[in-house]
Amino acid sequence: INFSILKAMANVWVATELGSLRAVDFKTQKNTVVTYDELDKKNEIVSISRSTKGNELYCTLAMNLINVFDTAENIYVNQYEMEGPLVDGFDIDDAFISCSKNGQIYVWRDDEVCEKFKVGENTECCVKSLNKEIISGGRECELSVWDVENQKATFTSKNVPRDTLDIRMPVWIQSISTLKSDPNIFCVGTHYHQFRMYDKRVKRRPVVDIEWGELPIFSLTADDKHCYLSNGKGDVGRLDLRTGGSICKYRGAVGSVRGLALHSAEPYLASVGLDRYLRVHHTETRELVHKFYLKNRMNAVVFTEAVIKEEEEEDVWKNLEEVNVKRRKLEAMWELQND
């Protein structure tokens, strides 16, 4: 590992199909590879999430491990092992929560499993809400919200009505996101390219139900006004949560986009996928501000707290200096001609 980038705070962490983490620094235009074991498909990292309490990253491996990486010390500091293929892992207060594809939830405290309960079969995704509940869904597994302490569902969605031919719509939830400030609203992307938004205060069925694109929606992330989503074709778009309408698309990706992330304080959207590129777009201007080829196919991405637009400000000042130099040259030439 080359720690030169890691000593300066990286802007983005990326998880790959071969089990490596990559730290990317936008200012130096360099990236560093961190490996837990040999680079192999069996060590694939399917998701990463940041700890709410420190500098740790939770790296969920497809097999049966969740590794904890300390970004300050640049070492793996802990490991959680459980049965079956895994979906995700994250912390809620002093507990660590992990979810397997068979719907088994493990609640860890002091590195030991203190509670286990089931949220349903064929779970494809599991996230935490702002009010410290967990939200899950999957193939023929409706969206549900669970209280970790009581191990009971506080909300379970209801499938949309049958169509005009009286055919039931199959359920296959592939991605879930919560809003930044409202724990009652959830955004969902399905295998059948449907975007749905649920408000558990209103009803069990979606309050917004539209089709987006032509292929499964693999990833989505939302703020308070917009939802950003991607699919297996390489489309990355933005929807207005107030109207459900499509606002724009972010160009560049070729092939499936598997991971999206929004910066917590700045208007930037990161995307990664099977074309091996990390792309960072400005959410308002849609400008592609950074692009890195990272050699491996990628599944997930997270931003750090590092500031991105410092570099842009420096560029602005450099441009101003160049303009002033040109102006002085023109003034000097004007004076010589007049003399």
Side-chain angles (χ1 to χ4, degrees):
I1 305 171
N2 178 7
F3 291 109
S4 59
I5 294 176
L6 299 178
K7 289 177 181 177
M9 193 173 187
N11 295 98
V12 163
W13 285 90
V14 173
T16 74
E17 271 194 355
L18 296 181
S20 64
L21 282 174
R22 285 181 176 267
V24 182
D25 188 319
F26 295 160
K27 191 170 184 178
T28 62
Q29 299 285 302
K30 294 180 180 179
N31 72 92
T32 298
V33 182
V34 180
T35 58
Y36 157 71
D37 199 349
E38 61 178 338
L39 293 178
D40 195 284
K41 179 70 175 175
K42 69 179 182 181
N43 296 321
E44 177 181 8
I45 301 175
V46 294
S47 68
I48 50 175
S49 61
R50 290 178 55 197
S51 169
T52 56
K53 297 174 289 187
N55 299 310
E56 296 174 340
L57 287 177
Y58 300 117
C59 308
T60 304
L61 277 64
M63 44 179 183
N64 59 352
L65 293 175
I66 296 179
N67 292 324
V68 184
F69 182 78
D70 190 320
T71 58
E73 300 296 329
N74 307 311
I75 55 172
Y76 283 100
V77 294
N78 204 351
Q79 186 178 79
Y80 299 93
E81 184 174 359
M82 58 225 79
E83 297 177 359
L86 302 179
V87 174
D88 210 342
F90 44 82
D91 57 4
I92 297 179
D93 291 336
D94 61 340
F96 178 76
I97 311 295
S98 58
C99 177
S100 65
K101 282 200 170 185
N102 63 8
Q104 188 72 50
I105 298 292
Y106 299 82
V107 183
W108 302 73
R109 286 188 172 89
D110 298 324
D111 297 336
E112 293 184 359
V113 177
C114 60
E115 296 170 15
K116 291 197 295 185
F117 61 95
K118 199 106 169 176
V119 296
E121 298 290 341
N122 301 316
T123 302
E124 294 275 343
C125 46
C126 183
V127 301
K128 63 179 176 180
S129 71
L130 292 174
N131 52 4
K132 301 174 183 177
E133 295 176 316
I134 61 175
I135 311 161
S136 65
R139 188 170 189 176
E140 293 304 329
C141 180
E142 289 282 0
L143 180 77
S144 57
V145 183
W146 292 79
D147 186 308
V148 177
E149 297 297 327
N150 300 324
Q151 302 176 18
K152 292 182 179 179
T154 60
F155 171 81
T156 302
S157 67
K158 188 177 181 180
N159 198 7
V160 296
R162 292 172 179 262
D163 64 14
T164 54
L165 299 176
D166 200 32
I167 298 175
R168 173 187 174 273
M169 176 61 70
V171 176
W172 195 341
I173 296 172
Q174 287 209 306
S175 50
I176 303 172
S177 179
T178 59
L179 271 61
K180 282 188 174 180
S181 60
D182 193 337
N184 298 300
I185 298 177
F186 320 114
C187 297
V188 169
T190 76
H191 182 81
Y192 306 106
H193 55 90
Q194 297 139 337
F195 168 78
R196 290 171 178 168
M197 186 169 69
Y198 293 84
D199 189 336
K200 68 178 186 178
R201 299 164 298 188
V202 178
K203 59 180 181 178
R204 292 172 61 193
R205 282 183 169 141
V207 294
V208 174
D209 181 18
I210 60 172
E211 290 192 355
W212 187 80
E214 300 173 351
L215 292 175
I217 299 173
F218 284 122
S219 180
L220 53 78
T221 183
D223 53 26
D224 288 330
K225 294 181 180 179
H226 305 106
C227 183
Y228 303 83
L229 61 173
S230 65
N231 64 15
K233 185 182 177 182
D235 296 327
V236 180
R238 178 170 63 155
L239 300 180
D240 190 329
L241 293 180
R242 293 164 293 186
T243 64
S246 179
I247 298 176
C248 65
K249 286 188 177 181
Y250 301 91
R251 307 295 180 184
V254 179
S256 179
V257 176
R258 296 296 176 89
L260 297 175
L262 281 172
H263 196 278
S264 59
E266 298 179 86
Y268 295 102
L269 173 72
S271 61
V272 296
L274 302 189
D275 68 354
R276 298 175 171 83
Y277 278 95
L278 162 69
R279 294 178 175 86
V280 179
H281 288 86
H282 192 285
T283 56
E284 297 301 325
T285 65
R286 294 183 289 169
E287 178 188 0
L288 179 63
V289 293
H290 294 290
K291 179 180 176 181
F292 295 88
Y293 181 71
L294 299 180
K295 297 183 180 179
N296 301 127
R297 303 203 296 184
M298 295 168 279
N299 289 329
V301 57
V302 292
F303 275 110
T304 67
E305 297 298 327
V307 177
I308 296 176
K309 65 181 179 182
E310 267 186 355
E311 181 182 349
E312 295 181 357
E313 290 174 357
E314 289 176 6
D315 290 341
V316 169
W317 286 111
K318 287 177 183 177
N319 291 336
L320 285 175
E321 289 176 4
E322 290 177 3
V323 169
N324 289 333
V325 168
K326 289 179 180 178
R327 183 179 294 173
R328 286 195 294 269
K329 287 181 179 178
L330 288 172
E331 289 174 351
M333 290 174 62
W334 178 259
E335 289 175 0
L336 288 171
Q337 288 177 0
N338 287 341
D339 291 343

